[in-house]
Every structure is written in C-alpha cells, then in structure tokens.
Amino acid sequence: MNNNTNSHDDQFHDDGGQDQKGIPKKRYMPLLLINYTCLFVGSVSSSLLSKYYFNHKGSSKWVSTWVQSAGFPLLFFPIFLPYYLLKCTQRKPFTRFTPRILSLSMFIGLMLGLNNFLFSWGNSNLPVSTSALLLSSQLVFNLILSVIIVKQKITFMNLNCVILLTLSSVLLALGPAHDRPRDPTRSNYFIGFMATIGAGFLFALYLPIMEMIYKKVYCYAMVMEMQLVMEVSATVLASVGMAWDGGFAEMKRESREVFDKGEWVYWATVMTNVVTWQLCFMGTAGTVFLTCSLTGGICMTALLGMNVLGGAVVYSEEFGGVKAVSTVMCAWGFCSYVYGMYVNKMKKQVEDHKQINQVVEMDQAQSQSQSEVVTPPSTANHIVLAMESEQITN
C-alpha cells in the first residue's frame, strides 16, 4: 500500500511475490480463510449466546454491550507473539502507529461501542431470527455509504442485491404480530426494531470508514493494533455506562439471583460470549482489509441466514411463511452479488490476459526493431575491415 516503506511488511518474507496488501500471495488466501472462519464462528455463536443470555432472564443491556468488546486482551496474541515469541517478523508492534491513527481508532471505537449498545437493545426485545434479518438492512446503507466514502461502483448486481434485501426487511417489519416476544410490549418491540436498524446503519458506516483508513495501513499486524485500540475505547464506553447504571453490581446480583441456569452457567455464558464477539470483530476487520468494505457487508449478510436458522433450530422460534420468504430473498440477493463478483473476476482475468499479450507483442516488436538497427553498422564494419585488408595486401 505504501511504496515508501522499506520493510513494507517485514513480518512476511517470501520469494513468491506480494499482493497490494504487502502479503505474500501464497499466504493471502490462507489468511483470508482464517478471517472468514473467525467471522463465521464469531457471528453465529455470539448471536445465539446473546439470545441465550436474555432468554434465561438476563436483562442488562450494558452487560450484553460490554461483552462485545471486553475480549480485547485476545488481540495481544496476534500482535505480540509473532515478534517476541515466534520471531517470525522484524516489525516491532505499534511501529509507525502515528497519533493520527491512534485518534481515529479511538473515535471509531466509541462509534463501535454505541453500535454494540444499539445491537444489544434490539436483540433483547426481538427474536434472534427477526433481529438477524433486520440487520440485513446494513447492506443497503453499506452500498450507499461505500459509494460516497470509497467511491464504490454501482452495478446491476449491487442494486439487485440491495433491492432484494430491502424488501426482505420490509416484509419482516410488516409481519404478523404473533412473531413478537411474549414479554415485551408493542412499544418495546418497536424500540427494538428501530435500535436494530440503527445498529445496522452504524455498522454500515463503520465498514467503509475502515476501508478508507486501511488504505494508509501497510500490514495486517497494524490492522490488529488498530482493532485493539478500538475495542479498548468501546470497552471504556460500555464500562462507563455500566458504572453509571449500576451494571457491575447488577451483574453480580444477576448471576446469583436472577439467571435461572445458575451462577456457573451465567459466567460461562458471559465469558464465552466475550471470546466469540472478539472473533467476529477480528474476522470483520481482517476481511475489510484483505478485500473491501462491501464484501465485508456481504459476508455479514450471508451469515444472517445462518443466524435465522440457528434461532429457529436452537430456540424453537417460529419460522413461518414471512420469514421463509425473507430468508429466500436474502439468499437470492447474496447469490446475485456473488455471481456478479464472479463475472467481474472473469472479465478482469480476460483484460489482464490481453494486457499481458500486448506487452509481450510490444517487447517482441521492440527487440526486432533494435536488431534491425544494429545490423547495418555491423555490415559496414565488415566492409571497412575488408577494404583495410585489401590496402594492406596491396
């Protein structure tokens, strides 16, 4: 990304060439698959665990917000182990981590903390399948904001995907009333609905902003360092909210007196959720860095279908005709986008092949012209030498 960097990415030494991210080509795909796996496992399991917490009388929105970022110590492993223990990189952690990058990371972390709170608020008042499908609206915002912020090109496949996912969310909003939880009132259901939409918007804003910032980042390790600062900022925001609202004392009381599965299950649920949420955000950050913000949003949307099925299977939530149609439309939109990506990739390969052929032809023509220019002087030299030999003979 930065051509002026001497070590560009010293953590990766490879003779097989590097891509535009400074990552050797043979390591790019495994790293991308690792991030996809983290995103998949983290997204599905964290959504189900959050709903498990609320289903068994856990009620603190601040606790649910706090666990989404409190797993930041897990980032110490990918940041510090490669340099200090594994000795597989020459780049010291936080090298070239400028004050500007620090301030941007802190600001985005606070925005991420607000997004976490809105998500928890919506998830506490909605079935996990409903909240998951509502979050598909983030792709609509993601496409629009990506066009504005990172100049993403709009194609037919993009628009088709956006329209289908928008209709999917509208169908869900107009669904039957018996889809709503028993305990929350109609007003709470509406608040949860709007909070989930707000969370989708903030997350959609987060993705293209991060893509724009990542253009100034020259290695994957710095992405994890930025993620650490963001998660710390989000945790500070959640901790302040918990302290102001008595959340820490409520957490102790909730584990002993309220949670109907017992204290040990309560803490196991909370700590496991901490880990899964951190996997989700690590995978998201890595995916955006290695691909683009729109692809990250597409992957999140694809996982929503898994969350819907998970909510129906694990918690026996009703999966009627409206949700079935919404899920099909969501899958249809995703598949159309994937097909569009495939077509664009094939076109790019054809164009690259043509460019390579043109370069080869130009080189051949240039070498041929140079040989034609070199030949006459060589012939003239032979004539001069022949004339000189004749003079000597005479």
Side-chain angles (χ1 to χ4, degrees):
M1 300 287 283
N2 191 342
N3 294 329
N4 297 325
T5 304
N6 293 330
S7 60
H8 195 58
D9 190 2
D10 290 331
Q11 62 181 337
F12 298 109
H13 293 283
D14 183 76
D15 296 331
Q18 293 181 338
D19 72 345
Q20 68 273 21
K21 303 294 183 181
I23 300 174
K25 293 180 180 179
K26 71 177 184 179
R27 295 190 183 183
Y28 177 86
M29 187 56 64
L31 185 60
L32 184 61
L33 291 177
I34 290 173
N35 282 275
Y36 281 157
T37 302
C38 290
L39 180 58
F40 174 81
V41 174
S43 177
V44 175
S45 57
S46 60
S47 178
L48 295 176
L49 283 170
S50 296
K51 194 62 185 179
Y52 181 84
Y53 167 80
F54 287 113
N55 281 351
H56 294 285
K57 300 184 179 179
S59 59
S60 176
K61 301 176 183 64
W62 285 114
V63 172
S64 182
T65 303
W66 184 78
V67 299
Q68 294 182 52
S69 57
F72 66 85
L74 295 173
L75 293 169
F76 292 154
F77 294 101
I79 292 175
F80 293 103
L81 283 184
Y83 180 79
Y84 289 104
L85 185 61
L86 302 178
K87 305 296 183 181
C88 60
T89 175
Q90 297 179 6
R91 179 186 178 274
K92 191 174 182 179
F94 291 96
T95 299
R96 299 185 63 186
F97 202 86
T98 63
R100 182 174 181 271
I101 294 178
L102 177 63
S103 59
L104 285 173
S105 300
M106 293 174 64
F107 172 76
I108 295 173
L110 294 176
M111 184 180 73
L112 194 60
L114 177 60
N115 172 81
N116 294 343
F117 177 72
L118 291 175
F119 175 82
S120 300
W121 203 351
N123 201 37
S124 64
N125 291 320
L126 297 175
V128 65
S129 52
T130 302
S131 62
L133 284 173
L134 281 176
L135 284 172
S136 65
S137 63
Q138 64 90 12
L139 189 60
V140 181
F141 302 128
N142 189 5
L143 178 61
I144 297 173
L145 294 173
S146 294
V147 171
I148 297 174
I149 297 175
V150 295
K151 310 304 180 184
Q152 174 72 43
K153 293 183 179 179
I154 296 180
T155 64
F156 171 76
M157 297 300 178
N158 289 343
L159 282 178
N160 183 51
C161 181
V162 167
I163 292 172
L164 289 172
L165 291 175
T166 302
L167 292 176
S168 172
S169 297
V170 171
L171 275 178
L172 200 62
L174 300 177
H178 60 74
D179 178 60
R180 300 166 186 168
R182 297 178 182 178
D183 295 336
T185 61
R186 181 181 294 269
S187 61
N188 285 341
Y189 182 86
F190 177 77
I191 292 173
F193 184 92
M194 297 306 297
T196 305
I197 294 293
F201 175 79
L202 280 179
F203 190 76
L205 179 62
Y206 159 81
L207 292 176
I209 288 178
M210 291 311 302
E211 180 183 354
M212 181 177 62
I213 295 175
Y214 286 160
K215 292 179 179 179
K216 306 296 183 181
V217 173
Y218 67 93
C219 66
Y220 181 80
M222 188 175 284
V223 173
M224 293 295 102
E225 293 162 1
M226 293 181 62
Q227 191 67 22
L228 175 63
V229 176
M230 288 188 289
E231 296 296 338
V232 170
S233 300
T235 303
V236 169
L237 178 63
S239 299
V240 170
M242 288 184 68
W244 172 74
D245 201 28
F248 290 105
E250 181 184 2
M251 182 184 291
K252 293 181 180 180
R253 183 187 65 84
E254 195 174 59
S255 65
R256 297 173 182 175
E257 303 174 7
V258 179
F259 198 73
D260 59 11
K261 290 295 183 178
E263 186 174 357
W264 286 104
V265 177
Y266 177 87
W267 289 113
T269 302
V270 170
M271 299 311 298
T272 305
N273 215 359
V274 166
V275 175
T276 56
W277 272 115
Q278 197 55 234
L279 288 175
C280 179
F281 284 118
M282 285 174 59
T284 302
T287 300
V288 173
F289 174 70
L290 295 171
T291 57
C292 67
S293 59
L294 188 58
T295 301
I298 290 292
C299 290
M300 293 297 295
T301 304
L303 291 173
L304 293 178
M306 298 299 297
N307 291 341
V308 170
L309 296 177
V313 172
V314 177
Y315 301 121
S316 300
E317 291 182 351
E318 184 176 352
F319 194 83
V322 173
K323 284 186 180 180
V325 173
S326 298
T327 304
V328 170
M329 295 180 70
C330 182
W332 184 7
F334 172 72
C335 291
S336 68
Y337 180 81
V338 171
Y339 177 74
M341 291 178 62
Y342 172 77
V343 171
N344 292 334
K345 183 179 179 180
M346 292 298 102
K347 289 181 179 179
K348 188 176 184 301
Q349 289 181 352
V350 172
E351 292 176 358
D352 292 343
H353 186 69
K354 289 182 179 178
Q355 291 179 357
I356 292 174
N357 290 336
Q358 289 176 357
V359 171
V360 171
E361 291 175 357
M362 290 177 62
D363 289 342
Q364 291 176 349
Q366 185 176 4
S367 61
Q368 184 177 359
S369 62
Q370 288 178 351
S371 63
E372 291 175 355
V373 172
V374 170
T375 300
S378 178
T379 305
N381 289 336
H382 285 297
I383 295 173
V384 171
L385 291 174
M387 293 176 64
E388 290 178 351
S389 62
E390 286 183 4
Q391 291 176 359
I392 294 172
T393 303
N394 296 330

